[in-house]
Amino acid sequence: MKGLAMLKIGEIGWIEKDKPKCGPRDAIVKPLALAPCTSDVHTVWEGAIGDRHDMILGHEALGVVDEVGNEVKDFKPGDRVIVPAITPDWDSEAVQRGFPSQSGGALGGWKFSNFKDGVFGEYFHVNLADNNLAHLPEGMSLESAVMITDMMTTGFMAAENAEIGMGATVAVLGIGPVGLCGVAGAALRGAGRIFAVGTRPKAIEVAKEYGATDIISYKDGDTAEQILEATDGAGVDAVIVSGGGPDILIDALKMAKAGSKIANNNYYGKGVGEKDTIPLCRVNWGFGMADKDIVTGLCPGGRVRMERLADIISYGRMDPSLMATHVYKGFDKLEEALLLMKDKPRDLIKPVVLLDE
Amino acid sequence: MKGLAMLKIGEIGWIEKDKPKCGPRDAIVKPLALAPCTSDVHTVWEGAIGDRHDMILGHEALGVVDEVGNEVKDFKPGDRVIVPAITPDWDSEAVQRGFPSQSGGALGGWKFSNFKDGVFGEYFHVNLADNNLAHLPEGMSLESAVMITDMMTTGFMAAENAEIGMGATVAVLGIGPVGLCGVAGAALRGAGRIFAVGTRPKAIEVAKEYGATDIISYKDGDTAEQILEATDGAGVDAVIVSGGGPDILIDALKMAKAGSKIANNNYYGKGVGEKDTIPLCRVNWGFGMADKDIVTGLCPGGRVRMERLADIISYGRMDPSLMATHVYKGFDKLEEALLLMKDKPRDLIKPVVLLDE
Amino acid sequence: MKGLAMLKIGEIGWIEKDKPKCGPRDAIVKPLALAPCTSDVHTVWEGAIGDRHDMILGHEALGVVDEVGNEVKDFKPGDRVIVPAITPDWDSEAVQRGFPSQSGGALGGWKFSNFKDGVFGEYFHVNLADNNLAHLPEGMSLESAVMITDMMTTGFMAAENAEIGMGATVAVLGIGPVGLCGVAGAALRGAGRIFAVGTRPKAIEVAKEYGATDIISYKDGDTAEQILEATDGAGVDAVIVSGGGPDILIDALKMAKAGSKIANNNYYGKGVGEKDTIPLCRVNWGFGMADKDIVTGLCPGGRVRMERLADIISYGRMDPSLMATHVYKGFDKLEEALLLMKDKPRDLIKPVVLLDE
Amino acid sequence: MKGLAMLKIGEIGWIEKDKPKCGPRDAIVKPLALAPCTSDVHTVWEGAIGDRHDMILGHEALGVVDEVGNEVKDFKPGDRVIVPAITPDWDSEAVQRGFPSQSGGALGGWKFSNFKDGVFGEYFHVNLADNNLAHLPEGMSLESAVMITDMMTTGFMAAENAEIGMGATVAVLGIGPVGLCGVAGAALRGAGRIFAVGTRPKAIEVAKEYGATDIISYKDGDTAEQILEATDGAGVDAVIVSGGGPDILIDALKMAKAGSKIANNNYYGKGVGEKDTIPLCRVNWGFGMADKDIVTGLCPGGRVRMERLADIISYGRMDPSLMATHVYKGFDKLEEALLLMKDKPRDLIKPVVLLDE
């Protein structure tokens, strides 16, 4: 079968591989909708997680079940499914500790395009089908549903980790698709005022649609200063960090109230200096004592999460299809879509590739 | 001055009292908008909290500051203010334990129309003005803002206590104004499907506006059975109990999943039997082991809460004025409004009385 | 093989059954140490969970692995293991919701002596061996280790659910073995003063050893009154309910502060009246508004929990062997041990039966 | 009156000042026991919080009430009291947000020797006496009680923030007095294995007494490597950071499990490089996705906290007097005690100065 792969750091290409094999509790799935992710860009062009060779890329997919193992109960060939980017080993010790996404080691729930082939192939393998797949609700738009798999779950996670009180003031740094889902997530957790930091007109339009009340641009000066000024010096109750360079936490700490959460869902593709670090500002962190907690996570995966986020769409809480600014038809358009994600034209939020069933 | 009072259990009337005196950190406020509450009905006609004599009723008010004590910094005569139903003693030990509403003993933050005169007088006294009052944002509708003081903060509290996960399924039992704010609160915490249990057409209309996705009526049979059937037997992740008789928790436990929260904001005006109890169903409670927690509280008061809920309105997250179905003009209409709350005509959600400034 | 079974409600006896069969991820285990539980008494003589026929009893065991399925990786025949009373289906949706003990429905993690044969047989079956068994640390006393499986995990659960602040005041109602573990758990969560309510001298001795600072007896009057008096009317920050009749929550609510947790780990074998209910006192519950939350659960099972509680013993945090007041040798002593649990002589805390390896 | 002051960065000396004046809700207190703190050292010799001139140092004190304001109800001259290092403004908005220690701005609850004179004077001023002072229990040793004011509350805070599960594995980096209280706090939250990182024999002895099970020394190699090796590569569930240079979080992230808390109670007197930053290791932080949260805080103050920690001592949960390695008699020994804290001889944990009543 064919797949779009990372050949090595900095290089992608189409390769041929054997169709993956199905374990007793697993499934083989054919893609129905695919979306490239900034993570793919970090992985390939920044070498963020180290080198990989001939690894098929991609971790955002809807699909049609092609084959299931003999212990799978709830899915059968032909079922249309939502495939989470993160597919934990539900029988691992990390689950018992409360951290499914970290099953089998740090980021271990992230299998696709990390340490096994991703979803950008004609077929792909899903571990623990009953626990990780969710049925695609009938009639749900593919452009919407594919956003569940990573963008929504990642963006919402930060809003959840931010422990937003009803009516609290929130800043979202970065309004790429994950940041936009952070905005939507903040509104869905009951935020009052929401600052969204970004400059791209299309993203700003969607941010407002999702609940942003104030748009902040670096072009108007230091973003933290602007937010402090807009809040009469008080700052914000929570910061969602969904973009920015390796020193973005400096900004976050500056605008956060003493007594706040800084919820990161940024994937740091690179750090500062040769020691490859992410710096905190000692003074704005209150010398380590200002109750500004920095909370993180890898996006929650698994079946229940997918089902619940599908309900978010089904019951009209959010319309994620607004982010699908570039929709392609056909598997062979995948490379173009991925390069678009890398190049980030100003009107792009998220490219989606739809495939024939 | 004049006030509408509880004369004794079962009887109300207009009385004359001295204008209250202002302590150094307190304020005297003239009402600008007033709303009767079902609690007033429980208190007077059910004798729910015991007897009271010649106590001015009412705890939902907007007002204009008439006088402030000499230690008050942030308010001055003429300021238009939001007055929380619950005005904690912020320097009490309960605050240090994390329970401001219980300051000074059980329900001690509830002073108005409980153990001091309420807001249904020409003037009323507010303790700790800087900590309990909030400025009424310019241009905010009075019908909206008066809902903050009790309905929103109480309804939202249950939604917060219910620890609703993103996309979780919630049932709200009772769609009086507190229940409607429970519906809105559940949506604002990220619920997916929301069952609202009620029958009154006007309330149903508003419930849908606030995010209810399914309306359940007792006229169609046992409500818990209906919700279990609608969820294929799974039940709900959270139940918000905002109405019903003293045995309503029986219903709640029946429809709640093993592993759920039952968040009560119901004021039990009476109990079951001569022992005056609220019963749990042993079997549906899993013999005490089914992880169905029953969480409660008295609505959060204080300045920050009022400010944050004002932000909920200012930033367009919810329009509470939809609940103001009956709007009166003039202080002398207060009795009519209160009796309306007692009689509950079918088209009533909440009466509001607006006063001249 | 032979097993000690519930023949029907009110009757036990030795029966013959086939040795259980091992699934691919399961294990067959021979008992090494067994302990009867009050739950067995509730189940048989109160019919608490309904009728059962010829079901082997027991859910507290250490064992030696006899056989493992071909997918089991971490255990092999001959391994000495700790077997949790609760053995969740780790691949169920309840796990993804955060409630492993409720996997597969209410109390679904409780399989032994509930809906499959228990551990009081010559062999017993354990589902998901890798996820539910834990290795018995070398040199650990069997009398200690067998307490992990239910007593410690259940008692500690209530202390955890009680959200005890450092130095907070706690009351533990009932000092059977679960209540004693509640006392130890409260001390291990940082409680200051701990009231233990009970009368049996041996239990009182161990309660003090585990951290109880005040012993309260019903013989000296109303226990809640005594605790209120001892705290100058303040009451306690948390109540752990580990015993008492069906109306024990009445007591708990009376002694709990406004702003407190009532953490139940009591198994209600019967309720009040023909409606079979557990009553709350309306007034002492603050009419549903006094922030007295009633939190519950079924004891946490699974491998990680067992390993962590084994560490509690290994690192000297608690000595559970103090509870093993009656130690028998030989499988045939099981019936005597169980009847002892039913009869509860005054010097009994917990009987343990040790078997030859 | 006389006081031991910071004259400017790097310089201390005795100065004369007017006796402080008492506000209506405040108290003037004479010291009964005083303890210098590493914070004083950071403040004076590292200039950690910027320059100060002729500011009396010290924030750890027991005292005798000399004078109270006319609104103070619970204290009178002659009362012996525990004085928390942190004395929040309980009527500030930060309290309503849940962050008393940050009242009035970042670290605003820290008044003594930060932005008003500290406790190293013949008299000192305490704001909000009823809310911040606690009665010293009769018979409690002064060496024990003075540890409550900062060491215990700070050390315990990190253990609380670390959200230690029962039996979890914890590492405490640094075993100065705050780190030792972190060890004790971890044990009191139910930790199983506790690694303590330090080298000083006296501190090691006390760490073991407080519950440390493994002592790790940098002299035996990289401390994180040692802990990883001792845990078979698993790492720890929680890290308490109570010492180390500005890059100590690098170590913490290395030894922390994916899915863990890093609870900081370290006061960072200086940062790395001219940008004065605290660096995180990008890779060991899982590129921002490994669920390793960094949680902080300023030690909780106020009356209830002091009372609860006094109960920890009264009920025998911990003996903090073990840390009082150097006890002086007389106010004039204060300078010697402070310089001892600066010089840190190997047998020092904490100096305490006792004064005549």
Side-chain angles (χ1 to χ4, degrees), chain D residues 25 83 107 129 149 184 193 210 220 241 251 259 277 311 317 340:
Chain D
R25 289 187 277 156
V83 185
L107 317 189
T149 64
R193 191 174 192 181
Y210 285 172
D220 300 325
V241 180
D251 276 5
T277 62
D311 275 1
R317 309 300 179 198
L340 193 81

Side-chain angles (χ1 to χ4, degrees), chain D residues 21-211:
Chain D
K21 288 194 168 38
C22 189
R25 289 187 277 156
D26 304 338
I28 303 301
V29 177
K30 291 177 60 170
L32 185 59
L34 295 170
C37 177
T38 308
S39 303
D40 293 306
V41 176
H42 287 302
T43 299
V44 176
W45 286 281
E46 290 184 345
I49 54 172
D51 209 353
R52 298 289 189 278
H53 292 276
D54 296 341
M55 177 185 73
I56 294 177
L57 288 164
H59 49 261
E60 302 183 19
L62 307 175
V64 178
V65 174
D66 181 67
E67 185 187 343
V68 296
N70 58 17
E71 295 181 32
V72 172
K73 290 178 229 155
D74 298 346
F75 297 90
K76 58 181 191 310
D79 284 358
R80 291 156 60 105
V81 291
I82 304 170
V83 185
I86 304 302
T87 54
D89 299 307
W90 289 98
D91 45 11
S92 71
E93 63 85 47
V95 168
Q96 298 197 21
R97 288 192 292 116
F99 297 97
S101 293
Q102 313 293 342
S103 62
L107 317 189
W110 175 22
K111 300 179 190 315
F112 293 129
S113 69
N114 181 3
F115 52 83
K116 80 172 186 186
D117 281 325
V119 300
F120 289 176
E122 288 174 287
Y123 297 91
F124 56 86
H125 168 269
V126 179
N127 60 305
L128 298 179
D130 279 337
N131 310 117
N132 283 321
L133 294 176
H135 290 286
L136 179 66
E138 216 169 321
M140 186 174 285
S141 104
L142 301 184
E143 290 90 334
S144 277
V146 76
M147 299 298 176
I148 295 173
T149 64
D150 185 352
M151 298 300 96
M152 283 173 69
T153 186
T154 301
F156 286 8
M157 174 193 73
E160 293 162 293
N161 285 349
E163 296 180 15
I164 296 167
M166 291 294 254
T169 297
V170 178
V172 180
L173 310 189
I175 49 173
V178 165
L180 288 170
C181 289
V183 169
L188 284 172
R189 297 306 287 172
R193 191 174 192 181
I194 301 177
F195 292 93
V197 177
T199 57
R200 297 149 70 98
K202 181 66 189 165
I204 288 171
E205 180 194 321
V206 176
K208 286 179 178 168
E209 195 69 36
Y210 285 172

Side-chain angles (χ1 to χ4, degrees), chain C residues 327-356:
Chain C
V327 179
Y328 296 84
K329 307 258 171 172
F331 189 56
D332 54 353
K333 295 292 174 55
L334 205 45
E335 186 169 4
E336 188 179 338
L338 175 58
L339 291 172
L340 193 79
M341 201 70 203
K342 171 169 181 274
D343 297 338
K344 290 207 175 132
R346 272 183 77 71
D347 63 341
L348 174 73
I349 296 176
K350 187 88 185 178
V352 172
V353 180
L354 303 182
L355 291 87
D356 291 332

Side-chain angles (χ1 to χ4, degrees), chain A residues 140-168:
Chain A
M140 185 174 287
S141 104
L142 301 185
E143 290 90 334
S144 279
V146 76
M147 299 298 176
I148 295 172
T149 63
D150 185 353
M151 298 300 97
M152 284 173 70
T153 186
T154 300
F156 286 9
M157 174 195 72
E160 292 162 294
N161 285 348
E163 296 180 15
I164 297 167
M166 291 293 256

Side-chain angles (χ1 to χ4, degrees), chain A residues 12 24 39 48 50-51 54 70 113 117 241 285 303 310:
Chain A
I12 64 167
S39 302
D51 209 353
D54 296 342
N70 59 18
S113 68
D117 281 325
V241 179
W285 199 35
R303 179 175 181 173

Side-chain angles (χ1 to χ4, degrees), chain B residues 39 59 85-88 99-103 105-111 114-115 150 153-155 157-158 160-161 264-267 295-301 305, chain C residues 258-259 285-293:
Chain B
S39 304
H59 50 260
I86 304 302
T87 53
F99 298 96
S101 294
Q102 313 293 344
S103 62
L107 316 190
W110 175 23
K111 301 178 191 315
N114 182 3
F115 51 82
D150 185 353
T153 186
T154 300
M157 175 195 72
E160 293 161 293
N161 284 349
N264 182 73
N265 57 12
N266 201 19
Y267 171 11
V295 292
T296 72
L298 175 64
C299 72
R305 179 71 168 183
Chain C
W285 200 35
F287 326 116
M289 301 185 291
D291 270 308
K292 299 182 182 183
D293 295 349

